[in-house]
Amino acid sequence: MLIKNALIENSQIPQDLRIEDGVFKEIGNLSPEENEDVLDLDGRLFLPPFIESHVHLDTCLTAGDPVWNMSGTLFEGIECWSKRKEKLSREDIRERVKKAVAMYAKNGIQFIRTHVDTTDPELTAMKTLIELREELKDVMEIQIVAFPQEGILSYPNGKQLMIDAIDMGADAVGAIPHFEFTREYSVESLDFALKLAAEKGKLVDVHCDEIDDEASRGLETVAARALELGLYDKVTASHTTAMHSYNNAYVLRLMRLLKMSRINFVANPLVNTHLQGRADIYPKRRGITRVKELLAEGINVSFGHDDIYDPWYPMGNGSLRDVVFVGLHVCQMMGYEEILNSYRLITYNAAKTLHVSDRYGIETGRPASFIVLDEKDYYEALIKDSAVLYSYKNGRKIAENSASQGKLYI
Ligand code: FE2
């Protein structure tokens, strides 16, 4: 198959790509061979596929069931989920996850890192997601984090459930230090999680300091253990919203450790801007980690959706466009280059977080996985909410959308 006139990653010069056996065979100025299928993009944006680096597929599409989160807060969300968990079944999870994966696929996403709750004695969601990871792999590469929603030390048998989830086949170890009963539990839970990952050869992704309490200092422990155990960029700190509230002298000291540790960050602009700052009267904090400053220090940051229509977020549609759009606003990343290159927050940066960079990107020899957007560059695509015209994974078309067209009578 030959793709003609692609504007690869905001390039202004159209290029052609030949795909054979599911990989990019050639990139350049190419002519069709005899009987070769040709797709002429006529100067449209050609990107590597989008990556969802943080979501909870096991909770998605459950908002209002059995009760609505009336306050809209994180902690009431956890209570609502606790009730919903009682009627969790394999069938229920399968149906919802498949729907959510279809929503993502339609929007050009081909990789998902999902956190899956381990604070369930039956580990029903974990078992089901592991099955679905295999079943859906041709459409979506799913990575599973064993996520202790109600704590590792603060939930009965929490440590053993984490070990069971990892032995069952989860890809990454999670933790939730800011939700543990005490600061001591918080530190111990991180020691446990990172040592478990080091022993079992797994990745780490911690729900870290997702709170406005400036005394929540899980991040320094995560970074220190990542460094000491040699885990480095296998470790990700998600949320880190307390960092928004840290005093600047502390951040200055912390930044040195963060750079040495080489850990990744995931910010979730949609969800954290509405969940954080709830205890504030006015001024209200924005509730997002220091994305701009982390990036300026060369630290890897990606953006995630976090929740889709669940007890913590009653909206969401499986498109990362809104995530980037809102993230740029709230992080004050409105420079022209920042907007133009913001696709990296949900492509290359996310690939680094998921540790899939070795099989990702538009280069000869790499899997022919890509998306086409109906504009010439990402700046235009973002502001015009461009349709994802095509999504190909390993050379196979998995989604196609028509350009949005309306009629105007003026
Ligand atoms: Fe999360």
Side-chain angles (χ1 to χ4, degrees):
M1 178 188 187
L2 182 66
I3 294 172
K4 292 286 293 175
N5 299 309
L7 293 176
I8 302 172
E9 294 183 37
N10 297 331
S11 162
Q12 292 172 5
I13 302 160
Q15 283 196 289
D16 312 322
L17 304 97
R18 175 161 286 120
I19 296 168
E20 263 180 40
D21 301 325
V23 300
F24 292 119
K25 184 85 186 300
E26 283 178 275
I27 302 174
N29 192 356
L30 310 172
S31 301
E33 291 170 355
E34 212 180 306
N35 297 326
E36 189 172 31
D37 289 335
V38 177
L39 176 64
D40 191 344
L41 299 183
D42 196 21
R44 289 189 172 82
L45 176 61
F46 191 93
L47 291 178
F50 292 144
I51 298 178
E52 169 60 276
S53 53
H54 187 120
V55 72
H56 298 254
L57 287 179
D58 55 339
T59 64
C60 68
L61 309 176
T62 61
D65 180 12
V67 287
W68 285 99
N69 181 344
M70 300 306 277
S71 64
T73 60
L74 171 71
F75 291 101
E76 189 177 333
I78 294 175
E79 281 172 34
C80 294
W81 177 241
S82 199
K83 294 189 180 88
R84 181 60 174 77
K85 266 200 286 191
E86 290 167 15
K87 63 171 187 173
L88 212 56
S89 73
R90 202 170 152 269
E91 294 67 34
D92 154 50
I93 297 164
R94 286 180 63 82
E95 197 187 323
R96 288 186 291 103
V97 171
K98 282 183 166 184
K99 266 189 205 163
V101 166
M103 289 160 75
Y104 275 119
K106 184 180 184 306
N107 288 301
I109 288 101
Q110 294 184 16
F111 297 80
I112 296 175
R113 174 177 281 184
T114 178
H115 298 256
V116 179
D117 190 359
T118 59
T119 53
D120 161 20
E122 305 304 321
L123 291 173
T124 307
M126 182 58 69
K127 288 173 191 160
T128 312
L129 255 301
I130 287 170
E131 278 171 23
L132 287 167
R133 179 180 61 189
E134 179 62 23
E135 251 175 80
L136 300 171
K137 69 178 181 200
D138 292 338
V139 175
M140 193 67 68
E141 183 169 333
I142 297 175
Q143 207 171 75
I144 299 170
V145 183
F147 168 54
Q149 176 76 74
E150 297 184 51
I152 295 177
L153 281 94
S154 312
Y155 185 80
N157 209 25
K159 281 186 177 176
Q160 192 56 47
L161 287 165
M162 289 292 287
I163 293 168
D164 291 348
I166 292 299
D167 288 344
M168 212 174 267
D171 303 287
V173 183
I176 187 163
H178 57 279
F179 194 75
E180 298 286 353
F181 290 150
T182 67
R183 196 198 65 84
E184 288 74 16
Y185 279 13
S186 156
V187 173
E188 194 184 330
S189 71
L190 291 172
D191 282 339
F192 168 81
L194 274 85
K195 276 184 194 152
L196 180 63
E199 270 170 37
K200 306 271 184 181
K202 300 286 179 177
L203 301 169
V204 175
D205 195 331
V206 175
H207 274 65
C208 193
D209 306 322
E210 190 183 6
I211 192 165
D212 294 316
D213 175 9
E214 71 102 18
S216 186
R217 301 282 168 97
L219 179 57
E220 62 180 20
T221 305
V222 170
R225 298 298 177 271
L227 177 68
E228 290 159 1
L229 293 166
L231 289 168
Y232 299 111
D233 60 351
K234 288 183 179 159
V235 176
T236 295
S238 283
H239 297 292
T240 60
T241 55
M243 195 182 186
H244 187 102
S245 302
Y246 291 165
N247 69 74
N248 292 334
Y250 173 68
V251 172
L252 208 62
R253 190 263 279 179
L254 179 66
M255 211 53 104
R256 174 176 173 265
L257 170 63
L258 298 180
K259 280 194 281 187
M260 288 167 73
S261 73
R262 311 204 301 255
I263 64 169
N264 308 293
F265 285 75
V266 181
N268 299 289
L270 294 179
V271 171
N272 282 133
T273 47
H274 102 78
L275 284 179
Q276 308 310 131
R278 291 286 182 141
D280 295 348
I281 311 298
Y282 282 98
K284 277 183 189 283
R285 284 166 283 182
R286 290 174 185 224
I288 192 148
T289 195
R290 302 190 187 202
V291 174
K292 196 167 179 157
E293 292 74 11
L294 290 166
L295 288 169
E297 293 287 349
I299 293 169
N300 187 48
V301 184
S302 61
F303 279 174
H305 212 309
D306 202 7
D307 296 280
I308 300 177
Y309 196 77
D310 73 6
W312 296 274
Y313 187 57
M315 299 185 185
N317 56 7
S319 166
L320 293 175
R321 184 265 175 188
D322 291 351
V323 173
V324 173
F325 189 78
V326 170
L328 294 181
H329 285 76
V330 80
C331 299
Q332 298 183 335
M333 291 167 63
M334 282 290 180
Y336 177 73
E337 294 277 335
E338 287 172 313
I339 300 170
L340 183 68
N341 294 317
S342 58
Y343 72 92
R344 297 188 73 88
L345 295 160
I346 53 169
T347 56
Y348 289 102
N349 293 15
K352 256 186 108 180
T353 296
L354 268 67
H355 262 246
V356 296
S357 302
D358 59 337
R359 53 184 185 279
Y360 184 82
I362 301 161
E363 282 177 43
T364 52
R366 293 277 163 115
S369 299
F370 61 88
I371 56 174
V372 176
L373 278 81
D374 192 24
E375 290 296 337
K376 66 179 172 56
D377 63 33
Y378 193 66
Y379 184 103
E380 296 290 330
L382 185 72
I383 64 173
K384 294 177 186 168
D385 195 7
S386 160
V388 175
L389 296 179
Y390 300 104
S391 177
Y392 277 73
K393 187 169 177 61
N394 300 319
R396 189 174 78 84
K397 184 158 63 180
I398 59 166
E400 182 173 349
N401 297 290
S402 54
S404 51
Q405 287 177 339
K407 282 184 181 170
L408 196 59
Y409 303 95
I410 54 173

